[in-house]
Amino acid sequence: MPTTEEDLLTAWTALLLRCGTTADPEPYGRELLRRWSEPQRRYHTADHLGAVLRHVDDLAGHAADPDAVRLAAWFHDAVYRPDRSENEERSAALAVRALTAAGLPAARVAEVERLVLLTVGHDPAPGDRDGEVLCDADLAVLGGTPEAYAAYAAAVREEYGFVPAPDFRAGRAAVLRGLLALPALYRTPAAHARFADAARANLTAELRQLEP
């Protein structure tokens, strides 16, 4: 399971080779890691990428195409500007360009694009096993210990440091309410059992702090 950037690059290279790339995976892997290390990032970093990939590995038995989910994990926040609202769409478009150039089959490229776009709302359709795995892996941070969740929330606030406090509180509260309103925070049985109760407690506690 990848932990350092070199581990991540090794995992990326193996993934692209498994998927039948016709190009050298390493240069684009380094470009992706450069993106994941941009200075505006505090939470959406290479550490987050590694964590999502580890959770995908844990949940891979639930997926129909685990490697498509892994590819989507690599791209899901590859474009990340806190001052923009279309990061997922730009990330999906980047995935299409990069994976097409790498020679991957069009059907798998389209699946990766679809999966990346699912992370806008984290609400996969029932039976969308690949979508369930990616969304659960991305939201696993919500079900951490209170201390880990607090560190996550603080890092998100740092990413939005340019937003005045009242505006941030209102926007963040809306995000939390949206998550709590989902039919289920986690769709795979394993993630639901492991994270659901803690995630609801963490989200509810943060929401109480944000609301007047």
Side-chain angles (χ1 to χ4, degrees):
M1 291 185 281
T3 53
T4 69
E5 287 203 0
E6 286 305 309
D7 290 336
L8 284 165
L9 184 61
T10 297
W12 164 262
T13 299
L15 174 60
L16 264 285
L17 291 172
R18 282 200 308 274
C19 292
T21 183
T22 58
D24 180 1
E26 182 172 335
Y28 211 91
R30 292 198 181 279
E31 168 61 13
L32 279 169
L33 289 171
R34 182 197 67 76
R35 288 175 173 274
W36 282 94
S37 302
E38 291 164 337
Q40 76 274 15
R41 298 169 182 260
R42 295 295 183 271
Y43 169 67
H44 294 89
T45 64
D47 287 342
H48 170 61
L49 170 61
V52 172
L53 288 168
R54 289 192 294 275
H55 290 301
V56 170
D57 285 346
D58 289 343
L59 301 171
H62 184 83
D65 186 351
D67 279 344
V69 181
R70 293 183 177 99
L71 289 169
W74 270 93
F75 283 96
H76 80 286
D77 283 321
V79 177
Y80 185 73
R81 288 280 301 274
D83 58 339
R84 294 180 178 173
S85 61
E86 68 281 359
N87 289 309
E88 291 87 357
E89 291 84 356
R90 289 174 180 263
S91 295
L94 178 67
V96 171
R97 293 196 302 272
L99 297 178
T100 299
L104 269 62
R108 182 170 256 167
V109 173
E111 173 67 354
V112 173
E113 178 186 25
R114 184 188 73 81
L115 290 170
V116 172
L117 291 172
L118 271 181
T119 63
V120 174
H122 296 93
D123 190 16
D128 179 3
R129 298 174 76 87
D130 291 340
E132 290 172 346
V133 170
L134 179 63
C135 290
D136 283 6
D138 195 27
L139 295 182
V141 65
L142 305 180
T145 64
E147 295 77 15
Y149 183 90
Y152 146 75
V156 171
R157 179 64 182 109
E158 285 187 46
E159 289 183 336
Y160 287 88
F162 59 91
V163 178
D167 295 338
F168 177 81
R169 284 197 300 271
R172 179 68 177 169
V175 169
L176 300 184
R177 290 190 202 98
L179 288 167
L180 287 166
L182 288 171
L185 273 170
Y186 302 99
R187 311 301 176 88
T188 65
H192 179 80
R194 182 177 175 186
F195 300 123
D197 290 345
R200 290 202 170 273
N202 287 330
L203 291 168
T204 301
E206 186 186 0
L207 188 58
R208 285 199 203 98
Q209 293 175 346
L210 293 169
E211 291 177 330

